[in-house]
């Protein structure tokens, strides 16, 4: 057992209102620079949709992440020799159009315009060339389903569903998907970098690009199946979400989590067994990946684990934080939060609680069609997104969430105690109360349990400068 | 004439080689963040494919050919049964292929740089100097292959060896045609310029990727 600690996040999609508040402080603090204008370390997409960059989930196009070849875990885009042969022109690299060409306006024209018959207007101009351009895409282009009647058919999460049905007005559904780097346990970006510039931090698992060793071979950009490594066209180097580590080290949550008005985000530590990563990421069939992923997360309350963690040099405040971790509770103890596209085999560490949705009146309840089948968001869609197609996991989570609501409603509105509904979902009143507390009430200290970085004598800020993902 | 010859084929080569070595060290130490290929694939991908692929395979084979054909004495080739004429013939045909590719590729890259809007807008003077330099050097080299037909194995080749072994024999270059001389001088100039351009990426070709493991960890807090 090789124990490592990992900073992780849970996002409760049931509560995301799609306001983009998370993206703004992230943008303002981290990517408000030349060459980085188009980068959104955090962006919020509307589902269904093809997202940013376009069709990022479709790995037959983008070749990101890992795959099994003859039962062996392999980078989907090809391995060492293949990368060498194509290094002069990476066939899988997306181009700026697939994200969007960054633009600005000559705002001054509005003020300096002479008095004219018509109001002055300004046209968008490219921040790369300075030319006037037409804006054709963006990080939230499909906001609230804009244009999805056209793009929706390319959404891979409709696999095994008739997309035409769900893109028709009567059956349409939507929810929001905020996205950031997953700080994976088996990161394809790290494995793809020929220079070894990307690495996971030993202490907290945050994935960084060493800016001094990045040579711009750009395989991390194409290797990441979530397309969360970005190429800075000005510096010729890659950049990515740094999980706000300067804040994390000081015990504060990331900017996206901190600013979230819906309070949908939770940040905490989990301990995991690094010896099992390879086996877990190689699980077959893909639907078994979720279980395998859960199985490598270690219970910090297990004295055996705590002792081993201590012996292996994990600091006490990390172990303490792991015990109070909201992420561990939501993902492992209650199994409410699920990994995004586990079939990419990177073992992502940003977890998502699937959203409930209104009951569709046009679907008649029958013996076979229960409440969960009548939710507007089809279970199969969520399964394609979060469990590699395993609908039973989605049903289990949704059932728990519904039961929790029923139970709390019975107490607070109906003044009766409906514990049957809990039993059917496999919950006890005690757990239900705790879940309610964390999902609905939790304040700052409960949602964000972030241990401060130990400041050892060996801390060498000068040496670390540049190597730590940001320059 | 002899002074000019000495300047061009003793002083200038050593000057450029010194700038080359010291320049790379200087650049690596002072500009570690700029040490990369400044890839522009993100901004333009289609034309880059032809330019970059043809150019790189061409130039790498050309460099390999230069190293193998000029640095290794003809005696060694004789010993394995490749006499001077055969050697020249091999150089001629591979020169057509590899040199031609390097030349064509660099021209394509230059065309791309001036015609593609986004590439043009993000180009630095440095990028143009590099590419024009490469067009000139590979162009002259290719010209020499196609039209030169000059026997280099007892002139240019031993001269290069005399330079790298620090026993310069500039007199070997006296009878060499002008187009060869200009090719050599411009190549040396490019060599001296390269530490200050994106060409530094050549020395970072990532061979360490082969033996290394997939997932890397680094400790940020040392000696806890
Ligand atoms: C040793 C192996 C080499 C590797 C791995 C390599 C790799 C690369 C890469 C990745 C690019 C960026 C292409 C892009 O995406 O825009 C590039 C560009 C370039 N390389 Fe190399 N290269 C190598 C050798 C060379 C050599 C020997 C030369 C010339 C002497 C050279 C000259 C150039 C030039 C001029 C460009 C810029 C092309 C442009 O954008 O106009 N490279 N190289
Ligand atoms: S999500 Fe993050 S850690 Fe995972 S492969 Fe992409 S960039 Fe790397």
């Amino acid at each position: 057992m090789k124990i490592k600690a990992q900073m992780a996040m849970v996002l409760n999609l049931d509560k995301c209102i799609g306001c983009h508040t998370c993206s703004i402080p992230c943008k303002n603090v981290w990517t408000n620079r030349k060459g980085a204008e188009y980068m959104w370390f955090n962006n919020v997409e509307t589902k269904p949709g093809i997202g940013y960059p376009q069709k990022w989930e479709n790995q037959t196009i983008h070749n990101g992440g890992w795959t099994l070849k003859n039962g062996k875990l392999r980078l989907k885009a090809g391995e060492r020799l293949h990368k060498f042969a194509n290094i002069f022109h990476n066939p899988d690299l997306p181009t700026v159009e697939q994200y969007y060409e960054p633009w600005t306006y000559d705002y001054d024209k509005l003020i300096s315009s002479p008095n004219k018959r018509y109001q002055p207007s300004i046209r968008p101009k490219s921040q790369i060339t300075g030319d006037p351009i037409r804006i054709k895409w963006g990080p939230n282009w499909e906001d609230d389903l804009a244009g999805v009647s056209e793009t929706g058919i390319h959404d891979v999460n409709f696999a095994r569903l008739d997309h035409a049905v769900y893109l028709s007005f009567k059956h349409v559904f939507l929810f929001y998907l905020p996205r950031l780097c997953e700080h994976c346990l088996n990161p394809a970006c790290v494995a793809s970098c020929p220079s070894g510039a990307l690495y996971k931090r030993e202490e907290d698992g945050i994935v960084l690009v060493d800016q001094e060793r990045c040579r711009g071979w750009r395989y991390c950009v194409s290797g990441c199946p979530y397309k969360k490594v970005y190429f800075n066209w000005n510096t010729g180097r890659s950049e990515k979400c740094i999980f706000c580590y300067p804040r994390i080290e000081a015990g504060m949550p990331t900017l996206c989590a901190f600013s979230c008005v819906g309070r949908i985000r939770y940040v905490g530590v989990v301990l995991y067994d690094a010896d099992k990563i390879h086996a877990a990421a190689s699980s077959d069939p893909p639907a078994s990946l979720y279980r395998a992923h859960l199985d490598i997360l270690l219970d910090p309350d297990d004295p055996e684990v705590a002792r081993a963690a201590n012996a292996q040099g994990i600091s006490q405040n990390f172990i303490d934080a792991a015990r109070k971790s909201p992420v561990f509770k939501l993902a492992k103890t209650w199994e409410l939060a699920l990994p995004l596209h586990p079939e990419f085999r990177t073992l992502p560490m940003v977890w998502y609680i699937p959203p409930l949705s209104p009951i569709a009146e046009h679907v008649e309840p029958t013996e076979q069609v229960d409440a969960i089948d009548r939710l507007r968001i089809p279970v199969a869609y969520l399964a394609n997104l979060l469990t590699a197609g395993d609908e039973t996991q989605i049903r289990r989570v949704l059932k728990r969430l519904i039961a929790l609501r029923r139970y709390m409603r019975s107490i607070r509105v109906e003044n009766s105690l409906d514990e049957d509904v809990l039993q059917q979902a496999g919950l006890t009143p005690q757990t239900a109360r705790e879940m309610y507390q964390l999902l609905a009430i939790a304040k700052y200290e409960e949602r964000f349990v972030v241990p401060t970085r130990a400041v050892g004598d060996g801390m060498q800020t000068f040496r670390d400068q540049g190597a730590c993902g940001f320059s | 004439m002899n002074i000019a010859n000495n300047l061009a084929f003793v002083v200038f080569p050593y000057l450029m080689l010194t700038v080359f070595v010291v320049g790379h060290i200087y650049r690596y130490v002072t500009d570690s963040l700029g040490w990369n290929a400044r890839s522009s694939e993100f901004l333009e991908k289609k034309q880059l494919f032809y330019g970059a692929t043809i150019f790189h395979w061409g130039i790498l084979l050309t460099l390999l050919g230069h190293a193998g054909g000029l640095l290794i004495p003809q005696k060694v080739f004789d010993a394995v049964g490749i006499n001077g004429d055969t050697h020249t013939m091999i150089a001629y045909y591979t020169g057509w292929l590899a040199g031609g590719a390097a030349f064509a590729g660099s021209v394509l890259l230059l065309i791309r740089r001036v015609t593609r809007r986004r590439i043009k807008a993000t180009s630095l003077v440095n990028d143009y100097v590099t590419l024009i330099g490469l067009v000139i050097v590979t162009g002259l080299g290719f010209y020499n292959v196609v039209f030169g037909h000059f026997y280099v194995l007892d002139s240019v080749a031993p001269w290069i060896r005399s330079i790298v072994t620090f026993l310069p024999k500039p007199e070997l270059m006296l009878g060499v045609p002008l187009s060869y001389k200009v090719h050599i001088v411009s190549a040396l100039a490019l060599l001296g310029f390269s530490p200050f351009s994106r060409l530094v990426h050549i020395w970072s070709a990532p061979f360490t990727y082969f033996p290394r493991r997939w997932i890397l960890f680094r400790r940020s807090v040392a000696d806890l």
Side-chain angles (χ1 to χ4, degrees):
Chain A
M1 186 159 61
K2 173 86 191 90
I3 302 184
K4 285 193 198 285
Q6 171 77 40
M7 289 306 309
M9 191 185 284
V10 168
L11 290 86
N12 186 354
L13 297 185
D14 204 30
K15 300 210 290 181
C16 180
I17 57 170
C19 65
H20 303 277
T21 308
C22 47
S23 305
I24 300 303
C26 174
K27 174 96 232 161
N28 282 342
V29 172
W30 300 125
T31 58
N32 205 353
R33 295 165 282 123
K34 188 176 175 194
E37 304 96 337
Y38 84 96
M39 298 180 196
W40 293 79
F41 290 170
N42 183 98
N43 73 309
V44 183
E45 291 170 14
T46 297
K47 287 274 145 194
I50 57 174
Y52 152 91
Q54 291 163 345
K55 306 182 188 169
W56 62 270
E57 290 161 291
N58 188 344
Q59 303 311 341
T60 44
I61 297 176
H62 287 290
N63 275 323
W66 304 83
T67 183
L68 285 189
K69 261 195 208 121
N70 308 324
K72 289 218 174 70
L73 194 62
R74 293 280 178 257
L75 285 172
K76 183 149 191 339
E79 307 229 315
R80 296 166 162 105
L81 262 179
H82 182 270
K83 287 202 162 46
F84 257 78
N86 290 285
I87 197 162
F88 315 122
H89 177 273
N90 174 355
D92 301 317
L93 187 78
T95 52
V96 62
E97 298 90 348
Q98 283 155 287
Y99 300 82
Y100 70 97
E101 184 155 348
W103 75 88
T104 184
Y105 299 91
D106 272 331
Y107 294 102
D108 193 51
K109 285 230 176 91
L110 292 180
I111 302 163
S112 60
S113 163
N115 202 353
K116 283 196 285 194
R117 198 158 149 223
Y118 300 104
Q119 278 192 14
S121 66
I122 46 178
R123 285 209 285 158
K125 65 171 200 188
S126 162
Q127 284 179 302
I128 299 176
T129 61
D131 295 345
I133 52 166
R134 284 196 53 184
I135 304 166
K136 296 198 187 117
W137 203 254
N140 62 334
W141 194 251
E142 296 158 309
D143 226 19
D144 296 341
L145 295 181
V148 168
S149 55
E150 280 168 32
T151 54
I153 58 167
H154 301 296
D155 183 336
V156 293
N157 300 302
F158 279 124
R160 291 175 293 131
L161 283 172
D162 184 359
H163 54 73
V165 172
Y166 293 99
L167 295 174
S168 71
F169 190 68
K170 190 173 172 194
H171 297 261
V172 81
F173 67 91
L174 81 83
F175 61 97
Y176 301 105
L177 182 71
R179 304 209 297 118
L180 62 154
C181 165
E182 304 276 341
H183 296 278
C184 309
L185 299 184
N186 186 37
C189 57
V190 175
S192 301
C193 175
S195 305
L198 287 98
Y199 64 98
K200 269 180 97 61
R201 301 215 301 187
E202 183 76 39
E203 293 77 16
D204 50 22
I206 293 175
V207 177
L208 296 178
V209 185
D210 180 337
Q211 293 292 309
E212 289 185 345
R213 284 185 57 186
C214 175
R215 303 284 172 241
W217 306 130
R218 62 232 173 307
Y219 279 119
C220 53
V221 178
S222 51
C224 171
Y226 302 95
K227 290 294 165 284
K228 278 295 171 186
V229 190
Y230 298 90
F231 190 78
N232 184 318
W233 54 264
N234 182 45
T235 63
R237 285 178 266 125
S238 297
E239 298 180 23
K240 63 178 287 303
C241 156
I242 60 176
F243 211 71
C244 290
Y245 71 81
R247 290 175 57 90
I248 293 286
E249 287 172 7
M252 294 187 281
T254 64
L255 286 165
C256 52
F258 180 62
S259 62
C260 175
V261 292
R263 302 188 174 184
I264 77 157
R265 301 202 186 207
Y266 302 81
V267 178
V269 179
V270 289
L271 302 180
Y272 68 98
D273 185 353
D275 284 339
K276 293 203 186 130
I277 288 180
H278 191 82
S282 314
S283 299
D284 204 30
S288 68
L289 277 156
Y290 165 58
R291 276 285 143 211
H293 193 170
L294 276 191
D295 285 346
I296 62 177
L297 304 188
L298 299 169
D299 181 0
D301 283 323
D302 179 345
E304 189 68 19
V305 170
R307 208 167 33 77
N310 221 318
Q312 294 183 22
I314 298 201
S315 65
Q316 189 58 44
N317 67 337
F318 267 75
I319 300 176
D320 292 343
R323 292 204 172 111
K324 288 189 285 176
S325 170
V327 175
F328 187 78
K329 279 207 193 81
L330 293 167
K332 173 98 175 182
T333 316
W334 302 330
E335 297 185 0
L336 291 177
L338 305 165
L340 180 64
H341 286 300
E343 72 276 18
F344 297 163
R345 298 182 182 277
T346 60
L347 307 180
M349 286 309 277
V350 172
W351 303 67
Y352 292 88
I353 300 176
L356 293 172
S357 47
I359 299 285
E361 292 302 335
H362 50 76
V363 183
E364 293 296 325
T366 65
E367 197 72 359
Q368 291 83 34
V369 177
D370 63 3
I372 289 173
D373 287 307
R374 296 182 68 210
L375 295 176
R376 240 176 198 277
I377 305 177
V379 172
Y381 187 92
L382 292 173
N384 287 334
L385 190 73
L386 298 170
T387 57
D390 183 358
E391 293 184 20
T392 54
Q393 301 296 347
I394 301 286
R395 280 175 196 282
R396 183 182 50 69
V397 176
L398 295 181
K399 195 165 179 184
R400 284 195 176 176
L401 293 177
I402 292 173
L404 185 60
R405 287 198 177 198
R406 276 293 312 147
Y407 177 65
M408 290 315 297
R409 188 182 161 83
S410 75
I411 297 173
R412 309 201 52 145
V413 182
E414 292 160 1
N415 242 331
S416 65
L417 205 62
D418 183 355
E419 290 186 351
D420 289 350
V421 64
L422 284 187
Q423 260 168 18
Q424 284 162 23
L427 297 173
T428 64
Q430 154 98 19
T431 353
R433 295 260 167 190
E434 285 178 29
M435 276 166 64
Y436 170 67
Q437 171 68 24
L438 193 58
L439 289 174
I441 308 294
K443 301 286 182 248
Y444 185 100
E445 291 78 13
E446 291 166 85
R447 282 181 286 130
F448 309 130
V449 183
V450 185
T452 50
R453 161 173 166 155
V455 184
D457 296 338
M459 190 161 167
Q460 297 178 30
T461 32
F462 181 73
R463 184 208 60 190
D464 291 349
Q465 191 190 22
C468 54
F470 205 75
S471 58
Chain B
M1 195 56 221
N2 239 335
I3 294 183
N5 193 63
N6 281 351
L7 276 180
F9 299 110
V10 182
V11 179
F12 191 64
Y14 283 120
L15 191 69
M16 287 301 113
L17 285 174
T18 312
V19 174
F20 179 81
V21 174
V22 178
H24 274 105
I25 297 169
Y26 173 81
R27 177 95 189 273
Y28 193 84
V29 173
T30 59
D31 184 24
S32 52
L33 291 172
W35 190 282
N36 63 47
R38 290 183 31 82
S39 164
S40 55
E41 182 177 354
F42 176 69
L43 299 177
E44 198 287 323
K45 189 180 174 96
K46 288 202 183 86
Q47 279 201 11
L48 179 78
F49 172 74
Y50 298 101
T53 320
I54 296 173
F55 168 74
H56 275 98
W57 288 112
I59 195 88
L60 287 175
L61 287 174
T62 309
L63 291 178
L64 201 73
H66 278 61
L70 297 173
L71 291 181
I72 301 172
Q74 180 56 35
K75 271 185 284 194
V76 178
F77 287 99
D78 287 335
V80 293
I82 302 175
N83 66 22
D85 287 336
T86 323
H87 188 169
T88 305
M89 209 172 70
I90 295 172
Y92 177 74
Y93 288 113
T94 52
W96 258 97
L97 213 78
F103 176 55
S106 52
V107 170
L108 285 177
L109 284 172
L110 186 60
I111 293 175
R112 164 176 180 267
R113 211 152 263 289
V114 293
T115 57
R116 299 289 106 185
R117 289 288 305 143
R118 285 197 284 259
I119 304 302
K120 190 171 177 196
T122 52
S123 289
L124 309 174
V125 175
N126 196 306
D127 300 335
Y128 287 115
V129 176
T130 311
L131 275 183
I132 293 172
L134 280 166
V135 169
I136 293 174
V137 174
T138 55
L140 281 165
F142 189 52
Y143 173 89
N144 291 336
V145 169
V146 179
F147 303 107
H149 302 302
F150 177 73
Y151 191 73
V152 295
L153 293 177
D154 55 10
S155 52
V156 179
W159 167 76
I160 289 189
R161 289 196 292 277
S162 80
I163 293 289
V164 296
T165 52
F166 297 103
L167 301 163
K169 292 188 193 131
E171 62 279 6
L172 285 169
M173 292 299 293
L174 278 174
V176 173
L178 186 66
S179 64
Y180 285 76
K181 286 182 173 166
V182 183
H183 171 66
I184 291 167
V185 169
S186 56
L188 286 168
L190 189 60
L191 209 64
F193 174 69
S194 71
F196 311 101
S197 72
R198 56 151 40 111
L199 292 178
V200 292
H201 71 276
I202 302 167
W203 310 105
S204 287
F207 293 107
T208 48
Y209 193 39
F210 286 102
R212 95 145 210 253
R213 64 202 148 86
W214 285 125
I215 307 298
L216 304 173
F217 281 88
R218 278 199 223 169
R219 182 167 280 282
S220 69
V221 186
D223 322 313
L224 261 184

